[in-house]
Amino acid sequence: MEEIKGVEEVQAERGSVGETVTQEDASIVAELAESSADASKPKYELRESRVPSSRIGRLWNYGGLAAGMFAGAIGEGLSRAVGGGSGNGGSVMLSPANMERLVAKLSRMRGAALKMGQMMSFQDAKMFPGPIQEVLQRVQDRADYMPAWQRDRVLKANLGPEWRDLFGEFEEKPIAAASIGQVHRATLKSTGARVAVKIQFPGVADSINSDLDNLSVLLAAANLLPKGLYLNKTIDNARTELAWECDYEREAECAARYRELLAGTPDEAVFAVPQIYPEASGKHVLTMEFMDGVGVTRINSFTQEQRDWIGTQILRLCLREVTEFRFMQTDPNWTNFLYNASQDRLELLDFGASREYPDEFIVKYVVLLEAASRSDRARVKELSEELGYLTGHESKTMLDAHITSVTTLAEPFLQSAPEVYDFRDQTITERVKAQIPVMIHERLAPPPEETYSLHRKLSGAFLLCARLGSRVRCRELFEQALVKAEALSAAK
């Protein structure tokens, strides 16, 4: 009866705008009723579930999440009042049961909310309370996959009703599922080439704005994020990047451009970018060369020499993106970097968030890094104002925190840094974290738009080196990058 009542309520609501409830909407209500009854149980193993693709379906899911979290907070508060509850003494909104609800719902919703959680986990996680940090880490590489009927609908719309004729083999169950889509292993019938077919979840592209608006309201109402975070700017940046990532035709062009940037250089033997097959691709389907490597953080048997080499190559490429290419693949997700042991190469994936940086920004940014590497605090302040990090009216406390964080981030590149920087012993993250509370409360303006993606990738490269325990000649890499940057600027 509860399920029928929920459907009737939706019909009444939609009737006011001249709409009728769909079969999908009805089944979503049923799923919500089931999940709400047992929301505290972990349900995070990769599984098949329908993607809520209609406007009312996605709105209903967000409403269900909000209601579930507020109800959970009330229940946690009552339990604590009588001596029960989680016993962690923290916010009732951040109870373990509510964090379970949040991860489960993001995994089922996919799309903008899950992607934003992944983006923030690499950029801003250190600003958040412990439970939120845990949620962000858990959603990095997690999503349900859609049922075959939804998948086939996307394939037909992009490749035609006879899409199966393009493939000799097509594995029905995906090998991976992320925030925007899922990936299937297949072979092309025309050539026999082994390929990976990335299929976008339905409704994700059209729901970016509404999803982010709903997420913003939920986060603000639940008071989950610290004040001064400029959530609106983070969300605006996410709108732009998500629109890029949902356009697989753009991603194909970015991958081709990246292959061209590496072509004819020694890095062509170090890095592999998958070939794209346009005949089996569309705006929401992308078929590319299958790469055999394994995620660089998933191999525990790496020798120290391999760890050093991988960290060196990834950081060197990141510096090339900034100083030479001025074009960057900005998603530092560990699963985007594969190591192919048989070829001793690194394989690069996911170019959806690739972007170009304007000369007027990137040239000054490189000079800022160079000034930080000399510990020139006065020059760091001057350039930070020119770039828009500072307004010129900050308090001394804010100035000190900002400049200290910049010079700390540049520590591996300092002229006084060790010849070989050991990321196993680095404390950069913790020392920058110590400055964050001051910057959150005293920052007068949000950072430049380019910063969100750029710092996410730079910090991601550092974190990857730390996770691998790499020892890298950072100072030497930085000096080489500066020479190339100066040569490029002189040529222009």
Side-chain angles (χ1 to χ4, degrees), residues 21 43 73 106 146 152 173 208 211 234 250 266 323 354 393 488:
V21 70
K43 296 182 180 180
L106 292 180
M146 58 184 155
D152 290 353
K173 186 173 181 178
I208 291 173
D211 272 13
T234 300
R250 180 185 183 276
T323 60
S354 299
H393 302 287
L488 182 60

Side-chain angles (χ1 to χ4, degrees), residues 359-378:
D359 288 351
E360 57 268 24
F361 171 83
I362 206 69
V363 169
K364 285 185 180 179
Y365 184 85
V366 172
V367 176
L368 173 66
L369 288 180
E370 191 273 334
S373 75
R374 292 185 285 103
S375 299
D376 187 341
R377 295 177 69 89

Side-chain angles (χ1 to χ4, degrees), residues 55 58-59 62 65 106 109-120 136 179-180 203-221 225 230-246:
R55 178 186 63 81
R58 297 189 73 81
L59 179 61
Y62 278 107
L65 173 60
L106 292 180
M109 289 289 286
R110 293 81 138 187
L114 180 55
K115 185 62 182 180
M116 188 173 174
Q118 294 170 341
M119 290 167 63
M120 294 170 78
L136 295 179
S179 57
I180 303 298
V204 166
D206 296 331
S207 66
I208 291 173
N209 288 330
S210 60
D211 272 13
L212 289 177
D213 288 342
N214 290 330
L215 182 64
S216 178
V217 170
L218 173 63
L219 292 175
L225 301 182
Y230 292 100
L231 177 63
N232 60 321
K233 293 296 182 181
T234 300
I235 287 181
D236 286 345
N237 178 256
R239 291 185 204 277
T240 300
E241 293 193 15
L242 282 162
W244 290 344
E245 292 200 49
C246 288

Side-chain angles (χ1 to χ4, degrees), residues 104 128 159 238 320 409:
F128 303 142
L159 306 181
R320 287 197 72 190
L409 284 171

Side-chain angles (χ1 to χ4, degrees), residues 426-489:
Q426 68 90 23
T427 59
I428 293 173
T429 303
E430 293 305 311
R431 282 180 284 141
V432 170
K433 179 182 177 181
Q435 307 299 326
I436 286 174
V438 173
M439 291 190 287
I440 284 180
H441 290 99
E442 300 214 17
R443 179 186 286 155
L444 298 181
E449 177 272 329
E450 293 87 355
T451 297
Y452 292 92
S453 56
L454 185 59
H455 282 183
R456 186 171 67 245
K457 179 64 177 286
L458 285 171
S459 60
F462 277 16
L463 288 170
L464 178 55
C465 287
R467 185 164 177 175
L468 287 171
S470 303
R471 300 172 303 185
V472 181
R473 294 179 176 272
C474 296
R475 191 179 66 191
E476 180 182 325
L477 292 180
F478 187 62
E479 290 171 352
Q480 292 171 352
L482 288 179
V483 169
K484 292 177 180 177
E486 290 171 1
L488 182 60
S489 296

